[in-house]
Amino acid sequence: MDTTHIEEIPQQEGGRDAMNAVQLFIKRFFDIVGALIGLIVLSPVMLIICVMLKRQGNGPAIFTQERIGYRGKPFTIYKFRTMSDGETSGPRLVAKCDATNSTKTERFLREHHLDELPQLWNVLKGDMSFVGPRPERRYFIEKIMQFDSNYELIYKMRPGLTSEATLYNGYTDSMEKMLKRLHMDIYYLEHRSLKLDFSIIMRTALSIVSGKKF
């Protein structure tokens, strides 16, 4: 990852969570209900995907990885496998997982975000929420914090399946994008509401249905 032209960003004030206890309770309630409904309704689709991936013979259909989540605690994230050879050369950003190490099926799943369906289980368990910052690996968190220690503010929120940063910043394949995503996630923390969450979920759904890449 090239960080030659990035300057360290000084610590900033702020980071107050805009959601109160009641809103957080409602948010969690809808996460549980939504995840349960999603797992039930989408179970046939997930089963078909599992069979397709298993038939490729490239390894387990479900990919697991440690991410850092709420309050800085590690958790195991679940995704459908979209990389046939794994990260044998060390951690790398998702945009690097192109045609050289993914099959046509795996690329389709990733491009349409179907690889993230198993994360509904993470939402149900409480590791994640439908809306929140994307959970990152410790390796990249340490890289980010060399430039901006405000990343610790992210630990105030449960990671999410989608966010404003996910919709408008896309896959993070550079440190510049990682820092932009961080700033957008902190803005979300300071302005989030149930209405905003609903808006983000609707825009995400419309983007997926329309085939928009993000």
Side-chain angles (χ1 to χ4, degrees):
M1 182 189 301
D2 184 11
T3 58
T4 307
H5 304 293
I6 302 176
E7 297 181 358
E8 184 173 357
I9 300 173
Q11 181 71 35
Q12 300 176 0
E13 296 295 331
R16 184 186 66 84
D17 192 343
M19 278 193 172
N20 58 37
V22 174
Q23 291 174 312
L24 290 171
F25 175 83
I26 296 173
K27 178 181 172 73
R28 179 63 191 140
F29 174 79
F30 281 107
D31 280 343
I32 293 172
V33 174
L36 274 173
I37 293 174
L39 286 168
I40 294 171
V41 172
L42 297 172
S43 56
V45 176
M46 296 173 70
L47 179 59
I48 292 171
I49 293 173
C50 280
V51 172
M52 292 174 63
L53 292 176
K54 288 297 292 183
R55 289 183 64 183
Q56 292 185 146
N58 293 329
I62 300 295
F63 171 75
T64 62
Q65 190 177 72
E66 182 182 278
R67 300 289 178 97
I68 306 302
Y70 185 49
R71 296 178 178 174
K73 295 180 180 179
F75 71 97
T76 300
I77 197 171
Y78 300 95
K79 301 181 72 175
F80 284 123
R81 179 175 295 278
T82 57
M83 286 171 40
S84 294
D85 64 356
E87 294 182 319
T88 54
S89 59
R92 51 183 159 173
L93 296 171
V94 73
K96 299 297 183 181
C97 308
D98 52 23
T100 61
N101 61 1
S102 295
T103 66
K104 185 176 181 179
T105 297
E106 291 167 345
R107 292 196 302 274
F108 178 86
L109 293 176
R110 188 172 65 250
E111 288 171 359
H112 294 83
H113 302 275
L114 295 174
D115 61 320
E116 299 182 2
L117 289 179
Q119 290 173 42
L120 289 170
W121 178 244
N122 286 118
V123 174
L124 185 62
K125 288 174 57 185
D127 297 327
M128 298 177 66
S129 175
F130 275 102
V131 180
R134 291 298 295 165
E136 194 52 84
R137 284 169 282 181
R138 191 178 300 278
Y139 174 86
F140 289 113
I141 290 175
E142 291 174 353
K143 294 287 186 182
I144 294 169
M145 291 189 69
Q146 291 177 13
F147 299 96
D148 192 341
S149 59
N150 287 299
Y151 191 93
E152 291 186 347
L153 295 173
I154 300 302
Y155 297 151
K156 294 184 177 183
M157 301 177 281
R158 281 189 173 87
L161 295 178
T162 186
S163 65
E164 292 274 11
T166 301
L167 286 171
Y168 298 110
N169 199 33
Y171 285 124
T172 51
D173 56 353
S174 67
M175 178 56 69
E176 286 86 353
K177 282 190 174 183
M178 283 186 155
L179 292 172
K180 182 178 179 180
R181 181 183 68 181
L182 171 61
H183 300 156
M184 293 183 73
D185 286 338
I186 292 175
Y187 181 88
Y188 167 74
L189 170 69
E190 297 173 339
H191 298 84
R192 64 177 178 164
S193 66
L194 297 174
K195 181 180 179 180
L196 178 58
D197 277 12
F198 180 76
S199 171
I200 292 172
I201 291 171
M202 290 298 99
R203 280 180 281 154
T204 300
L206 287 173
S207 295
I208 292 174
V209 170
S210 65
K212 179 184 176 182
K213 298 295 187 296
F214 61 93

